[in-house]
Amino acid sequence: MGTVTLGVSIAVPEPYGSLLQERRASFGDPAAYGIPTHVTLLPPTEAEAACLPAIEAHLAQVATGGHSFPMRLSGTGTFRPLSPVVFVQVVEGASACSWLQKRIRDASGPLVRELQFPYHPHVTVAHAIAESAMDRAYEELGDYEAAWTCDSFALYEQGQDSVWRKINEFPFGAGGGAPAVPAQGGSSVDEPSLHP
């Protein structure tokens, strides 16, 4: 069956996803239309195609242990000069993303891997393009804001055409019915919490 290139991410929902994808394209990033707008939980990872059922079972188990949480994007940041990336910042939901990515890459599961850089949730809006275009992305999206309730994450496969396509989505909570509204007093209704 061979190997496949997989990624796990939280999709940025509409209308935000399309808007940021259009903006990424407008900065001259050739990858814009091949990559759905997202927050990465597992970067591109090669796996044996035969392992897909085990991978999906693992991701379903991770999702069942979590619950919906608020996500908020605000302003821009960059990994330059270390890495040629400009991104929109995740200012709420980052600790939940960190919790998820650790469990997805857990040593007991089929997606064990070391990261090249420390995990930092973000939404890429420019990657490896001209410095002037990177500067423009950083400046023009500097006051960007978006917020939504995250209630799932998804598994994607990169095709031979370099386009990422969703294979499966994994809703949080047993049966996907976890409430998104926190209990009074700020504590969460569902346990375990997504916060470490």
Side-chain angles (χ1 to χ4, degrees):
M1 289 180 79
T3 61
V4 289
T5 301
L6 304 174
V8 180
S9 63
I10 293 169
V12 175
E14 297 304 335
Y16 315 119
S18 291
L19 184 145
L20 288 175
Q21 190 175 49
E22 292 290 335
R23 294 308 309 271
R24 184 170 178 172
S26 78
F27 302 132
D29 191 328
Y33 292 118
I35 305 173
T37 308
H38 68 283
V39 176
T40 298
L41 297 175
L42 178 77
T45 301
E46 284 204 358
E48 293 295 327
C51 294
L52 271 172
I55 289 168
E56 292 191 84
H58 169 66
L59 294 174
Q61 184 176 28
V62 171
T64 298
H67 63 81
S68 302
F69 60 91
M71 288 280 286
R72 189 163 67 87
L73 309 178
S74 181
T76 50
T78 183
F79 294 132
R80 296 183 294 174
L82 194 60
S83 181
V85 173
V86 172
F87 57 86
V88 173
Q89 298 188 70
V90 174
V91 296
E92 187 175 5
S95 61
C97 291
S98 184
W99 185 93
L100 285 167
Q101 66 89 24
K102 282 180 192 169
R103 277 144 189 85
I104 288 166
R105 295 185 301 106
D106 189 82
S108 67
L111 292 170
V112 180
R113 68 161 290 172
E114 292 297 318
L115 298 180
Q116 186 178 0
F117 301 106
Y119 182 71
H120 185 277
H122 63 281
V123 178
T124 298
V125 291
H127 179 243
I129 56 176
E131 285 295 318
S132 59
M134 303 271 272
D135 292 341
R136 195 160 66 87
Y138 185 86
E139 290 162 15
E140 291 182 14
L141 291 170
D143 59 356
Y144 183 80
E145 298 276 341
W148 71 93
T149 297
C150 176
D151 53 18
S152 66
F153 60 83
L155 174 66
Y156 292 81
E157 180 180 347
Q158 187 178 36
Q160 295 295 322
D161 56 1
S162 297
V163 174
W164 288 90
R165 295 175 179 86
K166 184 164 64 173
I167 297 175
N168 202 347
E169 191 157 348
F170 301 91
F172 295 129
V181 180
Q184 287 185 332
S187 64
S188 174
V189 174
D190 288 346
E191 293 299 333
S193 169
L194 275 178
H195 301 282

